[in-house]
Amino acid sequence: MRYCSTRDNKLSYGFEEVVLTGLAPDGGLFVPKEIPRVDGNTLDRWRNLSYVELAKEVVKIFASDLEGKTIDRLLEISYSNFSHPDIAPIKRFDRFSIMELFYGPTLSFKDYPLQFLGNLLEYLLRKRGEKVNIVGATSGDTGSAAIHSVKGKENINIFILYPNNRVSKIQELQMITVEEENVYCLAINGTFDDCQSIVKRIFLDEEIRSRIKVTAVNSINWARILAQIVYYIWASLKSDKKSIFCVPTGNFGNVLAGFYAKRITELIEKLIVATNENDILYRFFTKGDYSVREVVPTISPAMDIQIASNFERYLYHLFNNEDVTVKKLMEEFSQKKVLLFGKDVLEKVGLDFLSGRSNDKETKKTIKEIYEKYKYIVDPHTAVGVKVLLEHEEKFKGKYNLVSVATAHPAKFPEVIEETIGKLEMPEEIRRLTEKKQRKYELPADISAVKEFILRHALR
Ligand SMILES: *Cc1c(COP(=O)(O)O)cnc(C)c1O
């Protein structure tokens, strides 16, 4: 399988380079040159596989330049520490199912792609005799999932910046209680935006670039999308009916993986893009209006995003791999912060996607109703998806396998859960966090302080 850039389809890269480079050199995103379709016999065979066995089959199609044995081993270790034997269990209710993606070490779906990426990176670096320093900013789930994906790994140090006293207690504990020496949690006295802008400047800094190798593990890395394709195929294979997935969305990474799964298997009827009040994607999918507004903070903070970094990949496929069109659109978007699309485009979009949104009040109401009806607790992100799925349910009832994607364990958001239903049982691994030793480095929101720290502790 070869890959090109969304802005230049004549480029040709192998899987290894795509993973190690992250972003294409022209600023575009890497996409597979073609999306393979698997036939009915293959799907029948896949139906009987375990999660990890299925992952091996899917990853081998897209990482054809790695040895099969290597892929097998990397996937086996990546999911060996998940706490449910099915890895991504499907919980069935009367009107719909929930695919639970919170059995990894940090209890959000981000563990599914990042555990794989961490092991893959370690393997590739050892093979090439290289070292890297991962630098990133987090407002919550990404940082902890990234830290747990590379802690203790050879040839990798990780520096995660987060706003001091402005992430949730549990999210902070999941980062600062990691003992491995290659992990540096930088508590920045500033906002998340400060952290992000410092990270951006670190990546552009001449001195940093000449002295050490820095990289990101953000959601545009193709290996992350690839690992996420697996669970959509997994859940689709568990039903005789075609599936409809409702996915709570921020950066458009998770639901994009569902789109690839739809193309690869033809087992998916539709994907429903669920947003909170930060609804740029909802406006695009329902009205063709992709225009940036201010980010408003909500109770589903991992979705408080306006510019969805993976959206460019979808545009590329939507416009039949026309790199010139994508390049033009992205340039227009970066100038005007607005893209408007007409009816013809919306019609095509509608073949794959539907969309809905939920405000905080509706999200809380959903948490409460699902608990009262099923004695089942959904986290605020998952609740956004469930709310949107249920409002689409009527027209699909009985004909399709309706699946809402649970992106985090409710115990990660105890304040909202306690406010809505009054009680929450903490899983053992979260209770234990408070007893562990903590290690963090407090720094001012100042590029030179952060730069000096990173240069002092970086691998080279
Ligand atoms: C990151 C995250 C999301 C959004 O996922 P995208 O791939 O950015 O769309 C949703 N829910 C939770 C809990 C997350 O951590």
Side-chain angles (χ1 to χ4, degrees):
M1 172 72 63
R2 304 296 295 176
Y3 294 83
C4 62
S5 162
T6 46
R7 300 185 194 179
D8 182 356
N9 62 25
K10 284 173 289 305
L11 291 181
S12 179
Y13 280 74
F15 180 74
E16 254 187 75
E17 289 164 284
V18 162
V19 172
L20 290 171
T21 321
L23 194 69
D26 58 4
L29 305 188
F30 288 117
V31 277
K33 288 218 165 199
E34 81 247 34
I35 306 177
R37 196 156 288 175
V38 297
D39 59 25
N41 290 338
T42 308
L43 291 174
D44 281 341
R45 190 166 55 77
W46 284 4
R47 239 173 257 281
N48 302 314
L49 300 181
S50 69
Y51 187 90
V52 172
E53 296 300 320
L54 176 66
K56 292 174 183 175
E57 298 278 331
V58 176
V59 171
K60 276 172 200 171
I61 297 174
F62 287 93
S64 48
D65 47 348
L66 293 187
E67 251 187 87
K69 279 203 312 263
T70 303
I71 295 173
D72 290 351
R73 186 176 51 82
L74 292 175
L75 286 164
E76 275 159 22
I77 47 178
S78 294
Y79 298 106
S80 62
N81 59 349
F82 280 52
S83 63
H84 195 289
D86 283 350
I87 310 294
I90 318 286
K91 192 135 189 133
R92 299 207 184 279
F93 299 100
D94 51 355
R95 295 153 68 195
F96 65 105
S97 303
I98 286 188
M99 173 160 62
E100 297 179 328
L101 300 178
F102 46 68
Y103 292 100
T106 70
L107 312 185
S108 91
F109 84 92
K110 293 195 171 71
D111 290 324
Y112 291 69
L114 279 166
Q115 286 291 312
F116 173 60
L117 179 56
N119 288 308
L120 183 60
L121 269 182
E122 183 182 47
Y123 164 75
L124 294 176
L125 292 170
R126 187 185 303 150
K127 191 171 111 178
R128 295 169 161 240
E130 291 174 12
K131 298 179 197 302
V132 292
N133 299 283
I134 295 170
V135 180
T138 188
S139 58
D141 290 335
T142 310
S144 56
I147 286 170
H148 284 261
S149 76
V150 299
K151 62 178 190 184
K153 297 237 182 306
E154 277 177 32
N155 304 320
I156 303 175
N157 275 5
I158 183 165
F159 300 86
I160 293 293
L161 284 69
Y162 66 96
N164 201 14
N165 301 321
R166 294 188 206 211
V167 299
S168 87
K169 190 77 213 138
I170 291 169
Q171 287 173 328
E172 181 180 40
L173 284 173
Q174 284 183 330
M175 297 192 278
I176 67 176
T177 56
V178 172
E179 289 173 15
E180 280 78 356
E181 304 219 320
N182 66 333
V183 173
Y184 297 90
C185 300
L186 309 187
I188 303 295
N189 289 317
T191 63
F192 173 61
D193 285 341
D194 293 331
C195 297
Q196 237 181 350
S197 97
I198 293 172
V199 167
K200 277 194 189 137
R201 289 173 61 192
I202 293 278
F203 278 105
L204 297 172
D205 190 271
E206 285 302 324
E207 190 185 357
I208 292 265
R209 284 157 63 124
S210 65
R211 292 178 58 189
I212 61 173
K213 190 158 175 189
V214 284
T215 184
V217 290
N218 48 25
S219 75
I220 52 128
N221 194 299
W222 171 255
R224 282 181 66 171
I225 305 289
L226 174 56
Q228 296 177 108
I229 293 173
V230 176
Y231 46 69
Y232 289 98
I233 299 181
W234 162 258
S236 305
L237 288 168
K238 298 230 168 300
S239 173
D240 305 331
K241 298 180 183 135
K242 275 190 144 188
S243 296
I244 293 177
F245 290 95
C246 187
V247 190
T249 306
N251 262 320
F252 203 66
N254 200 6
V255 68
L256 178 75
F259 169 76
Y260 285 113
K262 183 175 192 292
R263 287 288 165 90
I264 295 164
T265 65
E266 297 184 341
L267 294 173
I268 299 171
E269 172 67 17
K270 292 266 191 286
L271 297 149
I272 308 177
V273 177
T275 75
N276 61 27
E277 282 137 281
N278 298 289
D279 62 353
I280 181 168
L281 288 166
Y282 168 79
R283 283 181 280 114
F284 168 77
F285 283 107
T286 54
K287 302 187 201 83
D289 165 19
Y290 192 73
S291 59
V292 178
R293 298 199 184 143
E294 284 284 298
V295 175
V296 291
T298 72
I299 56 168
S300 44
M303 295 154 65
D304 293 348
I305 286 168
Q306 281 291 341
I307 299 178
S309 52
N310 268 294
F311 187 63
E312 182 170 341
R313 283 196 167 107
Y314 174 59
L315 284 182
Y316 180 79
H317 299 300
L318 176 63
F319 288 99
N320 304 315
N321 306 1
E322 284 172 20
D323 51 358
V324 182
T325 308
V326 174
K327 192 160 179 241
K328 220 179 73 209
L329 286 170
M330 294 317 293
E331 276 163 10
E332 183 182 334
F333 180 69
S334 92
Q335 280 167 16
K336 300 195 192 141
K337 304 283 176 242
V338 186
L339 292 175
L340 295 173
F341 299 89
K343 225 176 106 216
D344 48 333
V345 173
L346 266 187
E347 259 168 35
K348 191 164 177 212
V349 163
L351 299 176
D352 295 311
F353 290 100
L354 296 164
S355 186
R357 67 182 159 180
S358 178
N359 62 33
D360 279 357
K361 199 167 148 228
E362 294 165 323
T363 303
K364 283 183 191 166
K365 187 163 159 258
T366 305
I367 295 172
K368 199 157 187 269
E369 284 174 359
I370 294 294
Y371 182 69
E372 279 164 3
K373 187 140 187 237
Y374 304 108
K375 293 282 164 287
Y376 183 81
I377 306 177
V378 288
D379 100 285
H381 303 80
T382 304
V384 168
V386 171
K387 186 259 178 190
V388 171
L389 179 67
L390 291 179
E391 76 195 10
H392 283 87
E393 184 213 357
E394 197 55 41
K395 57 182 178 282
F396 297 122
K397 206 155 60 190
K399 294 205 286 271
Y400 296 98
N401 174 39
L402 301 179
V403 185
S404 215
V405 176
T407 51
H409 192 287
K412 288 195 92 168
F413 305 93
E415 294 82 5
V416 181
I417 302 298
E418 274 159 20
E419 189 194 319
T420 45
I421 63 174
K423 63 166 174 197
L424 176 66
E425 195 143 339
M426 283 289 173
E428 183 59 27
E429 59 253 62
I430 288 199
R431 271 182 285 147
R432 272 201 309 258
L433 284 176
T434 51
E435 297 153 20
K436 289 190 174 169
K437 241 182 28 217
Q438 305 181 1
R439 183 168 51 110
K440 67 175 184 179
Y441 303 89
E442 233 179 278
L443 290 174
D446 167 32
I447 169 88
S448 52
V450 174
K451 191 173 140 181
E452 193 209 341
F453 185 95
I454 291 178
L455 283 172
R456 188 145 34 92
H457 296 279
L459 288 175
R460 55 191 83 207

